Amino acid sequence: MSRFDGKTVLVTGSTGIAAAAAQALHAEGARVFVVSRTAEHVDDLLRRLGPTCAGRRADLTDEGAVDELINELVELFGRLDCVYNVAGISGRRLGDGPAHEMTLDGWNQTLANNATSQFLVCRAAIRQMLTQDAATNGSKGAILNMSSTLARHPEPTHFATHAYAASKGAIESFSRAMAAYYAPHGIRINVIAPGLVATPMSQRAQGDPEILDFARSRQPLSDGILDPTDLTGAALFLLSDEARMITGQVLDVDGGWSVGSGPVSR
């Protein structure tokens, strides 16, 4: 049997990291429900996943929409076993940046789309998981939230987006607090913190030769920007029963970003 046979997994986001994970989860037997703000992206991913999966467009900052999509998922598949909370934004175009230059709208929108959206998804998912019968291993569900290496390892030259860093730090603290509270209920909650990944959100960085040179130095294991599939193995492990004794952890998948920087020695 594959690790996710018979399990229903909610993946927020439909491109980049989310799309890579959804395809890997489906390949391992999961019934995947994808949700994104962009309907075309959802439809494109579902065509690749096939008829055993489903999804919809939704604004994850809208609590009514989040509750509605969880209800739809459960009505369709019967239960919710795992959540991979990937969806988020860079608030740079909205006014995020260094604190003295940041706009209030940039702060509010970045926190809403990153931290508040994950709170709303976690709340709705946990409410559902608490009502479910536990699996044979005692688990009622697993949640994996998305942070960033910038939450704990800032980079002032190329990535001075302070609201983004704050939103990711909030996700880490929120997740650890939830992990402690819900462990006795059989619900695990962990966090993955990637470095710079080649996704639609990082288009600015991907087109900047100076940042590409920086990435080759700061992320030496990847020799540059990570591919979305570089996160998939860690994500599926943390969501699977193989990690049934792991909760409240933040796993850096960053090509070496978090352990130092400098010229690469060969």
Side-chain angles (χ1 to χ4, degrees):
M1 291 181 64
S2 297
R3 286 182 291 180
F4 293 91
D5 279 347
K7 291 191 174 183
T8 301
V9 184
L10 170 64
V11 177
T12 71
S14 54
T15 61
I17 295 167
Q23 291 176 89
L25 286 160
H26 178 55
E28 291 215 29
R31 299 170 298 191
V32 181
F33 192 100
V34 297
V35 58
S36 167
R37 191 189 296 268
T38 307
E40 293 83 358
H41 293 166
V42 174
D43 292 342
D44 178 65
L45 181 54
L46 288 177
R47 279 192 291 270
R48 286 179 275 159
L49 293 176
T52 60
C53 299
R56 59 173 294 178
R57 180 203 173 279
D59 178 357
L60 297 179
T61 67
D62 181 335
E63 63 179 328
V66 172
D67 291 342
E68 187 177 292
L69 76 87
I70 294 295
N71 290 337
E72 182 178 327
L73 179 154
V74 174
E75 184 175 336
L76 187 62
F77 293 124
R79 62 182 288 123
L80 173 59
D81 298 289
C82 305
V83 175
Y84 190 16
N85 242 335
V86 183
I89 67 165
S90 166
R92 186 180 297 272
R93 63 181 177 81
L94 302 170
D96 190 8
H100 73 285
E101 298 176 355
M102 191 190 309
T103 66
L104 180 58
D105 188 55
W107 171 270
N108 287 338
Q109 290 208 48
T110 303
L111 269 290
N113 281 278
N114 292 344
T116 302
S117 63
Q118 291 203 31
F119 152 64
L120 291 173
V121 172
C122 285
R123 184 181 69 175
I126 290 168
R127 286 173 173 173
Q128 170 58 32
M129 289 173 177
L130 289 171
T131 70
Q132 298 175 165
D133 293 333
T136 54
N137 64 2
S139 172
K140 285 195 171 185
I143 296 173
L144 182 59
N145 289 329
M146 180 62 66
S147 180
S148 165
T149 190
L150 293 173
R152 285 163 291 118
H153 307 284
E155 202 297 301
T157 302
H158 301 295
F159 298 97
T161 45
H162 296 169
Y164 181 84
S167 71
K168 296 302 186 178
I171 288 163
E172 293 188 7
S173 296
F174 177 55
S175 297
R176 284 193 294 266
M178 288 192 296
Y181 188 91
Y182 293 107
H185 300 274
I187 299 173
R188 299 187 300 107
I189 300 163
N190 290 295
V191 181
I192 194 166
L196 181 59
V197 184
T199 67
M201 193 172 76
S202 67
Q203 287 295 322
R204 175 190 70 91
Q206 293 176 56
D208 187 323
E210 187 176 346
I211 294 179
L212 293 177
D213 285 342
F214 165 82
R216 278 188 285 272
S217 175
R218 194 67 188 260
Q219 301 183 158
L221 291 181
S222 64
D223 194 29
I225 300 181
L226 279 71
D227 187 84
T229 58
D230 290 328
L231 279 69
T232 301
L236 267 62
F237 166 71
L238 288 170
L239 288 169
S240 76
D241 290 343
E242 293 175 357
R244 62 188 177 277
M245 293 299 147
I246 300 175
T247 195
Q249 302 304 304
V250 179
L251 178 61
D252 293 300
V253 184
D254 59 11
W257 180 304
S258 58
V259 293
S261 61
V264 179
S265 299
R266 296 295 187 192

